[in-house]
Amino acid sequence: MEYSSSEDDEPIDGDIDFGDEITQSDADQHAVGVAAPLHFFNHSESSIMPLESAIGNELLVVDGNVKDLVPFLGMEFESDVAARNFYNNYALRLGFGIRVARSRSERRKGVEVLVMKRFVCLKEGHHKKKVTEYSGVKKKRKRLSIRDGCPAMMEVVRRGQEKWVVTKLILEHTHVVVSPDKAREIQLNRLSGKELEHENYLKDMRQKAFGEGDAQGLLEYFKRTQSSNSGFFYSMQVDSRNCMTNVFWADARARMAYGHFGDAVTFDTSYKKNENMPPFAVFTGVNHHGQPVVFGCALVIDNTESSYVWLFETWVTAMYGQDPISLTTDQSRAIGAAVAKVFPNTRHRLCNWRILSKCKKKLLDVCSRYPTFHEELKRCVNEPETERMFEMRWKSLIDKYDLRENTWLQSLHSIRQKWIPAYLKESFFAEMSTMERSESLNKFYRRHFNTKTTLQSFLAKFDQAVDSRHEKEIQDDYSMQNSQHILKTDLPLEKHAAVTYTRAIFERFQVELLEALNYYIGKVQEGAISKYSVARSTDSHNYQVVTFYESQKKAVCSCHKFEFSGILCRHVLALLWASDVNFIPEQYILKRWTRKAKSSPSLDERAVEMRSYCQDSPLLRYNDLFRDAIRCAEKGAVSPETFKVAKDMLQKAFADLVSLQENMVKTGQHPSPNI
């Protein structure tokens, strides 16, 4: 006799039971990810590990403390309870909830004996719509199901009297799983008394995000977008009461742009400046024309460390797993802790414009008594070229206004390595101006949002703004291919730069080169490592030191402009010019600034590695092909001529694929079903 559990299935005792629906009335700070079924895969090793290479069969006595062990076909347990405890611990370790979806019993010697149990991810299956009655009238409840058809499961069958064996197993999930720390936090916080205060906060934030509506409208918006843009990625995080806590989404253009320009990223949370704004955040960067480009958007309803961990992990998954070199954010304990956990090798910078903008509020009395103080503080922060110069000017400013006991300034000085430019020069930030970028988004908020604007209306206007920026990028690409830069010298260095860089970057390079012609060079050290002083006049005390490594043909300037921006400084250019160097050395040409910045994704090297195991994963094959198709579309849109070539090639490729599939069917080879 076979039987299934009730409609809601049987939650595992002591597990993370998130239930099966999302309501707008419930609230809690704990979360689990909900994602669209396409373009999502669990990026832990276990999700793509061949089962054949797993550990050999052996009888296991599982007490719930087995760690770092992945389930495999043929795995044996002493009981169904032991199997349940093992899978529950495995689920907690990866960060997903489980339940019993099916069980079967047989009559043996007149006694009903349990012979099979199937444990599944909480998002297995699809929600069955329920109805409620009000005064005899049936109405559908507006609920958002967290079930998305996830196939992850483990089925065990009784063999004899002494053991249970894993006979069916699927490790891959169709959604981004919550982090293990988050999974533990969910259970711990259920036992604490901290939920009510945070619940009220989340209700307020949901009100800002959705108004009187609910999250269902946003989900439908995402589904419509994905139906017309299959490269669209979205993920929703819900809490243990099934209320939405955070949302992330990125379209195909954002994901492709990250492949080219994702080395330096800003996570912008400008909404915090205005309490009436929705909690809308955006990942941005700068393209080869020096223009802002979007890498993804988010609604940050639950402003906690674990939520930011989920958001950053989800974002980097959507960006094909490539961490940025640098990440600029607002000052926030929760964000800082999440960045340290998710991006330990990324240089984290705090937006100094945002910090300085708080000055008048934090130092209201000082700014009122001394009108020039704020400008003096900005100059103290931004002008010093060395750490030593900053420390001298900071001390002088603090002493001048008798602010040695000011706790806010003390706290800022203690984290100076994260926001003072003099401490950040040796890290790459693509010379992004956080002030311009933040101001741009703030102006957009003020122009397009008020308390009566619905979220979907706001998002539609934001999408229009992004479309406008994308069109501008295409126009500049076309103009770049059909025009020449204006040269101001006869130097071969300038001619080389003109055919290498985009117009915006060439103009920045040109400024540095023209300045270099006015500098004097003096050798201060000879040998395999030479040192030169470079100054605007021979008797100047304001000079930079350029160190030249002969074996590597590498020059490093004490101003570190190249390390910070990717564009050579006037000091190194002066040395190259004096040494009769006619071309920019290859190691000083960053592809992201050149005319060929988008000639191929910067992720190509990683894509080669991915193809080695794409053969067994339709989802990975899909993502790999999709990136190539988007690259073709970007190139094809530049001009009518390139459009015709791209269109003809794509149509021919599609016809060839259809013909191949038809031949496979005729010869009895059944192609794989659609993902």
Side-chain angles (χ1 to χ4, degrees):
M1 178 178 70
E2 181 175 316
Y3 65 92
S4 297
S5 56
S6 64
E7 185 178 345
D8 288 332
D9 299 316
E10 174 195 343
I12 301 298
D13 296 335
D15 283 5
I16 320 168
D17 175 20
F18 300 107
D20 137 291
E21 302 170 36
I22 299 174
T23 67
Q24 280 303 112
S25 60
D26 298 327
D28 191 272
Q29 72 187 64
H30 322 304
V32 59
V34 178
L38 285 179
H39 323 306
F40 286 66
F41 65 98
N42 176 11
H43 51 282
S44 66
E45 290 185 5
S46 59
S47 65
I48 57 175
M49 168 181 154
L51 292 178
E52 304 89 80
S53 65
I55 309 169
N57 292 355
E58 58 182 352
L59 185 64
L60 296 177
V61 179
V62 180
D63 61 3
N65 294 319
V66 175
K67 295 182 178 179
D68 303 324
L69 192 59
V70 177
F72 55 88
L73 288 173
M75 196 174 194
E76 298 178 357
F77 302 91
E78 64 173 2
S79 67
D80 65 305
V81 175
R84 182 191 68 180
N85 289 341
F86 169 78
Y87 196 58
N88 183 40
N89 276 274
Y90 168 73
L92 282 174
R93 197 165 72 243
L94 264 68
F96 64 93
I98 70 174
R99 67 175 184 270
V100 175
R102 179 174 294 180
S103 58
R104 187 174 69 248
S105 61
E106 294 178 354
R107 183 172 294 277
R108 295 181 179 180
K109 298 180 180 180
V111 179
E112 288 290 336
V113 178
L114 185 66
V115 296
M116 184 274 286
K117 264 198 175 182
R118 178 181 295 177
F119 311 103
V120 300
C121 174
L122 276 179
K123 295 180 191 174
E124 180 270 347
H126 294 280
H127 172 59
K128 298 177 183 178
K129 292 183 179 179
K130 299 178 182 179
V131 295
T132 53
E133 291 191 21
Y134 297 96
S135 302
V137 180
K138 292 186 176 181
K139 294 184 179 181
K140 291 183 178 180
R141 293 189 296 174
K142 291 185 178 181
R143 304 265 178 159
L144 179 60
S145 174
I146 71 169
R147 298 192 186 183
D148 65 4
C150 179
M153 53 83 74
M154 184 181 83
E155 183 173 296
V156 292
V157 173
R158 183 192 290 267
R159 294 280 189 259
Q161 296 294 323
E162 304 247 337
K163 63 181 179 180
W164 288 69
V165 181
V166 176
T167 58
K168 294 181 182 179
L169 180 67
I170 298 177
L171 295 178
E172 288 191 358
H173 294 259
T174 55
H175 55 90
V176 178
V177 296
V178 70
S179 68
D181 288 343
K182 186 65 175 179
R184 296 186 187 94
E185 179 186 333
I186 291 168
Q187 291 182 320
L188 291 173
N189 278 276
R190 281 181 173 177
L191 303 176
S192 73
K194 299 179 181 179
E195 296 185 2
L196 184 57
E197 181 180 349
H198 198 71
E199 176 182 335
N200 293 331
Y201 167 79
L202 292 180
K203 284 183 178 179
D204 290 341
M205 294 301 288
R206 289 191 187 94
Q207 176 67 26
K208 288 181 185 179
F210 304 113
E212 298 301 325
D214 60 24
Q216 185 67 39
L218 184 63
L219 178 62
E220 291 171 356
Y221 168 78
F222 287 156
K223 288 182 176 179
R224 288 195 305 271
T225 303
Q226 192 175 68
S227 67
S228 60
N229 180 353
S230 57
F232 183 81
F233 179 112
Y234 70 93
S235 183
M236 295 181 178
Q237 188 186 33
V238 298
D239 57 31
S240 58
R241 300 187 184 188
N242 299 324
C243 291
M244 185 181 294
T245 53
N246 299 294
V247 188
F248 169 78
W249 68 97
D251 64 15
R253 290 183 315 201
R255 301 171 74 189
M256 285 301 298
Y258 185 84
H260 304 305
F261 311 114
D263 43 15
V265 178
T266 289
F267 178 57
D268 198 318
T269 51
S270 296
Y271 73 89
K272 293 182 179 180
K273 289 197 66 179
N274 190 323
E275 61 181 13
N276 293 320
M277 296 298 176
F280 177 77
V282 60
F283 294 91
T284 62
V286 62
N287 66 13
H288 53 322
H289 298 297
Q291 302 161 343
V293 59
V294 173
F295 298 140
C297 305
L299 288 175
V300 188
I301 297 171
D302 186 10
N303 190 14
T304 60
E305 176 187 334
S306 54
S307 286
Y308 284 116
V309 167
W310 172 86
L311 177 58
F312 293 151
E313 288 179 341
T314 302
W315 171 67
V316 82
T317 298
M319 301 300 119
Y320 306 106
Q322 179 178 333
D323 294 354
I325 293 174
S326 64
L327 179 63
T328 302
T329 73
D330 289 340
Q331 185 183 8
S332 162
R333 187 206 61 78
I335 292 177
V339 170
K341 184 173 293 185
V342 180
F343 304 115
N345 299 317
T346 294
R347 187 70 162 98
H348 182 206
R349 175 176 68 169
L350 303 179
C351 175
N352 73 9
W353 176 80
R354 192 84 69 204
I355 291 175
L356 290 172
S357 68
K358 298 177 182 178
C359 176
K360 291 182 179 180
K361 179 179 179 181
K362 296 287 186 177
L363 302 172
L364 180 61
D365 183 54
V366 178
C367 292
S368 299
R369 286 187 291 129
Y370 306 105
T372 62
F373 173 77
H374 190 233
E375 287 300 318
E376 287 186 59
L377 178 61
K378 287 199 292 186
R379 289 196 297 272
C380 171
V381 167
N382 294 316
E383 291 180 357
E385 295 182 351
T386 66
E387 297 171 13
R388 181 172 176 273
M389 289 174 61
F390 165 75
E391 295 295 350
M392 292 174 59
R393 292 188 63 167
W394 180 271
K395 183 177 183 302
S396 176
L397 184 70
I398 297 300
D399 289 343
K400 178 180 177 179
Y401 292 101
D402 193 22
L403 296 171
R404 286 181 296 274
E405 304 302 319
N406 186 279
T407 55
W408 184 65
L409 289 175
Q410 287 176 357
S411 67
L412 291 183
H413 186 263
S414 68
I415 57 170
R416 58 195 179 280
Q417 292 84 357
K418 285 197 170 185
W419 70 284
I420 298 298
Y423 287 88
L424 296 161
K425 293 192 303 178
E426 297 183 41
S427 299
F428 182 71
F429 290 95
E431 204 173 45
M432 294 185 295
S433 171
T434 54
M435 179 173 68
E436 292 175 4
R437 289 153 54 76
S438 297
E439 268 299 285
S440 175
L441 196 55
N442 281 330
K443 288 177 181 177
F444 179 82
Y445 271 121
R446 291 194 294 269
R447 188 181 302 118
H448 295 294
F449 186 85
N450 57 52
T451 53
K452 295 182 180 179
T453 305
T454 65
L455 177 64
Q456 291 197 40
S457 175
F458 172 79
L459 294 181
K461 291 177 180 177
F462 184 81
D463 288 344
Q464 290 174 3
V466 173
D467 289 342
S468 177
R469 285 180 176 178
H470 186 66
E471 289 175 7
K472 179 68 167 61
E473 180 178 319
I474 293 176
Q475 291 171 0
D476 286 350
D477 283 344
Y478 181 77
S479 175
M480 175 183 66
Q481 300 297 337
N482 294 276
S483 63
Q484 294 183 343
H485 303 323
I486 299 174
L487 303 181
K488 296 184 178 180
T489 73
D490 292 327
L491 295 177
L493 273 173
E494 186 182 19
K495 293 177 182 178
H496 185 209
V499 298
T500 300
Y501 294 123
T502 63
R503 177 181 296 278
I505 304 307
F506 170 73
E507 290 174 353
R508 295 188 185 187
F509 177 91
Q510 192 177 52
V511 168
E512 294 298 317
L513 181 61
L514 293 176
E515 284 293 326
L517 304 182
N518 299 315
Y519 276 69
Y520 295 87
I521 301 171
K523 180 173 282 190
V524 297
Q525 177 180 309
E526 294 189 13
I529 300 177
S530 305
K531 290 188 177 182
Y532 302 85
S533 63
V534 184
R536 195 170 178 82
S537 62
T538 55
D539 59 349
S540 174
H541 296 291
N542 184 17
Y543 63 89
Q544 298 291 342
V545 176
V546 177
T547 304
F548 183 74
Y549 300 85
E550 178 66 32
S551 61
Q552 306 173 43
K553 302 298 181 185
K554 177 181 178 182
V556 178
C557 183
S558 56
C559 79
H560 294 292
K561 178 179 175 62
F562 177 77
E563 289 79 6
F564 183 77
S565 68
I567 301 172
L568 279 175
C569 65
R570 58 196 65 181
H571 315 106
V572 171
L573 289 173
L575 181 61
L576 295 178
W577 175 57
S579 304
D580 295 324
V581 175
N582 294 327
F583 299 95
I584 305 169
E586 185 177 352
Q587 65 265 35
Y588 297 116
I589 300 176
L590 264 63
K591 183 179 178 182
R592 60 139 29 252
W593 293 136
T594 69
R595 293 166 172 254
K596 298 180 179 180
K598 299 192 294 183
S599 61
S600 62
S602 59
L603 294 180
D604 267 356
E605 298 83 358
R606 188 174 172 274
V608 170
E609 297 176 3
M610 182 178 289
R611 289 189 182 100
S612 65
Y613 57 82
C614 272
Q615 300 302 317
D616 299 319
S617 172
L619 188 57
L620 295 182
R621 292 197 297 269
Y622 177 91
N623 279 334
D624 194 38
L625 290 171
F626 186 82
R627 282 180 289 176
D628 288 341
I630 290 295
R631 181 176 62 175
C632 184
E634 284 187 335
K635 283 294 182 185
V638 170
S639 69
E641 294 78 16
T642 58
F643 172 78
K644 185 178 184 306
V645 172
K647 189 73 172 177
D648 290 344
M649 290 178 63
L650 288 173
Q651 288 180 336
K652 183 180 183 304
F654 184 77
D656 289 346
L657 288 171
V658 172
S659 176
L660 175 62
Q661 288 187 341
E662 290 175 348
N663 288 334
M664 292 175 70
V665 172
K666 289 179 181 178
T667 58
Q669 303 176 56
H670 299 289
S672 299
N674 294 330
I675 39 180

